[in-house]
Each structure stands twice: as C-alpha cells, then as structure tokens.
Amino acid sequence: MITVERLTKRYGAFTAVDDVSFEVRPGRVTGFLGPNGAGKSTAMRMMCGLTPPTTGTTTVFGKPFAELVNPGRRVGVLLDASAQHVGRTGREVLALSALTMGVDKRRVDEMLELVGLSPKEAGRRVRNYSLGMRQRLGIANALVGDPQMLVLDEPVNGLDPAGIRWMRSLLRDFAEAGGTVLLSSHLLLEMDAIADDLVVIGHGKIVAQGAKSELLAVAGSVASSLDDASLLAALRGAGLEAETRPSGGLSTPASPEEVGRVALAAGIVLTGLGAAENHGLEELFFDLTSEHGREEVGAA
C-alpha cells in the first residue's frame, strides 16, 4: 500500500502539489488523473523519494521509499521512459538492473519476452529505440525485480493500439494477482477501462477521489409515460425537481421508487423507469478540472 499524507511541494512562490492525501491499495489499479501541470509527476517523484517534499509524508509498505531495502524488489517504477542509458543495449539495461538487485539473470530474458522485445531489438542501443520500444523496456525494467507494486507515469505514451491493449492486460493481471498499481495517464478511455479507483488532481489539489464506480455514479432517475407533461407537473407538485429530456421522457434527482409513487398517485401510466445513466470518465474529468486547467508553466 502507498499512503500519501498532506504532501506539499513548493518551488519559491509556486505550489506544485498542495496538501495531497490518498491511499493506493493492493489488488487494485489506482488512476492518477489531472490536466498538464496539475502536479501528478511531481507527486509521483516525491512518493518514490526522487524529489523531497516541502511538507508531508509518503509511506510505501509502511516505510518511506528511501528506507526500503533493495527497493526495486518491492516497487517497480517507470516515471520517464526516455531516462534510460542510450549507449547501452536493451538487454544490457535489464542485465545491469538484475545484477544490482540480485535477481537471477534468467529474469532478463523472461522480461524481454513478456514485453515483446525480440532478441534483435534487445541487442540494439537504446538510442535507436522508438518511444514505444523505450516504454516496453521501461516496463521490463520495472518488473525485472518481481515487485509487489508498480508506480507508472504515462506508461502507454508511444504505444500503438495493440501495445496499449497489451499494457492494459498486463496491469490488470498484475493487480488481480494481488499487486498494487498507481498509474498516471492522459488517455481517459484507457483509464476508464483499467482503473478501479481514481484520484483526480487540479492545480496541485485533490478535487475528487474514490472508487471509479462511485465517482461515475449519478443519483436520480429517467422516466417516460403516456403523458410526460402531466408527469412533470406531478413530480414538481410533489416537491421533486424534474426536467424534460431532449430525447424524450424526464430526468429527475428523485429515486425510481419516488417517481413510481408519484405516478401511481396521479394515475399516470409509466412506459419506462430506471436509474440515471452513469457519467462517462471524460465527462467527469472535465467537470472536475474545468477550473483547474494549466494556466502557467510549472512543474508537471
């Protein structure tokens, strides 16, 4: 588990991360969302001990990251796929990590196969890798220590649709095996497909967090009847808010049970009644962050 408590980072007068608190739980994929410049990358760097916080703490498995013994065996990290030694081959990058962590060298070939880098590609210098290949190598490097947790910042950048699908499957399997995943991505459709929990940040502050299903849920009902005008009047007469829908019928914050009771009392025949449809993640994201878009250049 990752526990973030009141994490703050200031650069002079600019506050990149402002009093952020949340948890990342085992067996779940937690999506970390926010506009460019919202503070996601800075927060993730502080969690991994790469950037000192101004105030606040982060614990990983109950300890600060810097206090973990052989941290690569506990936490796999990919914060910047371009930050790899361009003069080494892909295989050399993984072999050095395996040697540093005391991992069996056979793990190198296993990870190259897992991420889809062929022997020929593994023998190339990283300077000759595409962004997608660097992402795959970065994931292999994060996994080579057989960690229990992954912290990944925009890991699908540069991947083609097949690669994105592969990444989704890999992370889903990792979480379902009991692993912990913190994932930052600007691809909302992919986050919608994979995340169990969401943490949404804007201007360095948490603007929403919780289970994705709860954040996307919409209270209320949609209803249609043989006489929608009368149903609208009956609902409003009962003190319930309601409005007509462009596609027909009515929407209301009232529960289906409340709508049914009002219709019955008014003698109105309902032709349809159900819970309101959930928000899409894209709609939720823009609703939450419309006032928190990037206004100035600062720490990402």
Side-chain angles (χ1 to χ4, degrees):
M1 176 182 287
I2 302 175
T3 302
V4 177
E5 295 183 343
R6 310 203 70 174
L7 203 61
T8 297
K9 181 63 180 180
R10 299 187 185 91
Y11 295 95
F14 174 68
T15 301
V17 177
D18 190 356
D19 200 28
V20 164
S21 299
F22 63 91
E23 290 186 343
V24 182
R25 294 177 289 167
R28 300 178 72 82
V29 177
T30 298
F32 197 25
L33 297 173
N36 289 341
K40 302 185 301 298
S41 295
T42 300
M44 296 175 89
R45 288 181 61 82
M46 286 191 284
M47 292 175 214
C48 297
L50 297 174
T51 297
T54 303
T55 59
T57 61
T58 298
T59 56
V60 181
F61 300 113
K63 298 180 179 181
F65 191 94
E67 294 182 12
L68 295 177
V69 177
N70 201 354
R73 299 298 302 270
R74 305 294 303 279
V75 187
V77 177
L78 174 59
L79 298 184
D80 184 356
S82 65
Q84 302 181 67
H85 197 302
V86 298
R88 296 193 176 110
T89 67
R91 180 180 296 279
E92 288 170 346
V93 168
L94 292 187
L96 183 58
S97 292
L99 180 64
T100 302
M101 289 183 266
V103 176
D104 191 313
K105 63 182 181 180
R106 289 176 294 184
R107 183 81 175 163
V108 173
D109 288 323
E110 292 172 3
M111 291 303 97
L112 287 169
E113 182 177 358
L114 177 67
V115 303
L117 289 175
S118 69
K120 182 177 180 179
E121 291 169 333
R124 291 184 196 167
R125 304 292 176 186
V126 173
R127 68 166 57 91
N128 298 317
Y129 276 19
S130 66
L131 176 56
M133 292 174 65
R134 293 190 188 204
Q135 292 286 17
R136 289 176 181 270
L137 179 62
I139 290 294
N141 210 16
L143 290 169
V144 73
D146 195 18
Q148 301 156 277
M149 179 182 295
L150 291 174
V151 178
L152 310 173
D153 192 5
E154 302 283 2
V156 298
N157 273 1
L159 295 181
D160 60 19
I164 292 173
R165 184 176 182 181
W166 161 79
M167 179 73 74
R168 184 197 308 164
S169 177
L170 183 149
L171 297 181
R172 188 72 266 161
D173 290 347
F174 186 88
E176 289 177 356
T180 305
V181 180
L182 177 63
L183 169 67
S184 165
S185 176
H186 67 280
L187 298 180
L188 298 181
L189 290 178
E190 287 308 309
M191 195 68 85
D192 196 9
I194 192 174
D196 301 301
D197 302 314
L198 297 173
V199 178
V200 186
I201 187 171
H203 277 328
K205 291 180 175 288
I206 299 293
V207 295
Q209 62 177 301
K212 182 182 68 178
S213 58
E214 295 176 358
L215 291 176
L216 297 182
V218 177
S221 312
V222 291
S224 58
S225 71
L226 295 179
D227 188 349
D228 286 345
S230 294
L231 179 58
L232 179 63
L235 289 170
R236 290 177 174 174
L240 301 174
E241 296 181 14
E243 59 184 20
T244 58
R245 306 175 72 203
S247 58
L250 307 174
S251 62
T252 171
S255 68
E257 181 181 352
E258 289 175 303
V259 174
R261 289 182 182 278
V262 169
L264 178 62
I268 299 170
V269 178
L270 294 175
T271 57
L273 178 62
E277 296 179 357
N278 285 353
H279 286 301
L281 180 55
E282 184 176 86
E283 181 182 353
L284 174 71
F285 177 82
F286 287 114
D287 283 348
L288 291 172
T289 62
S290 60
E291 298 180 3
H292 301 275
R294 189 174 185 179
E295 296 178 354
E296 60 181 308
V297 176

